[in-house]
Amino acid sequence: EEELQLAPGSVTAGTRLAQVQRFDSMGRLSFMAMVDTKYGVVLDADAIDACATPAELHALAVKIARG
């Protein structure tokens, strides 16, 4: 939410990313940069596009972080 400048609580783990107006190409890049900066995890754009919800994005980042 913070990276996309959305109101706190407006996105839940089950929210469909396709419904989040600001999760467009620039939103995805901002998300990728934030994850890389905060957690040292580099996410692939195609892998992000395959995620339908924030919960899936989280699972992807955890999977990559664990190797």
Side-chain angles (χ1 to χ4, degrees), residues 6 25 46-47:
L6 298 170
S25 58
D46 291 332

Side-chain angles (χ1 to χ4, degrees), residues 25-48:
S25 58
M26 290 304 295
R28 284 175 176 79
L29 287 174
S30 293
F31 176 76
M32 291 170 69
M34 182 273 302
V35 171
D36 184 22
T37 299
K38 287 188 175 182
Y39 306 105
V41 175
V42 177
L43 300 175
D44 178 79
D46 291 332
I48 290 174

Side-chain angles (χ1 to χ4, degrees), residues 16-17 23 28 44-54 56-57 60:
R16 304 295 295 176
L17 293 173
F23 199 69
R28 284 175 176 79
D44 178 79
D46 291 332
I48 290 174
D49 289 342
C51 295
T53 65
E56 291 178 9
L57 286 173
L60 173 66

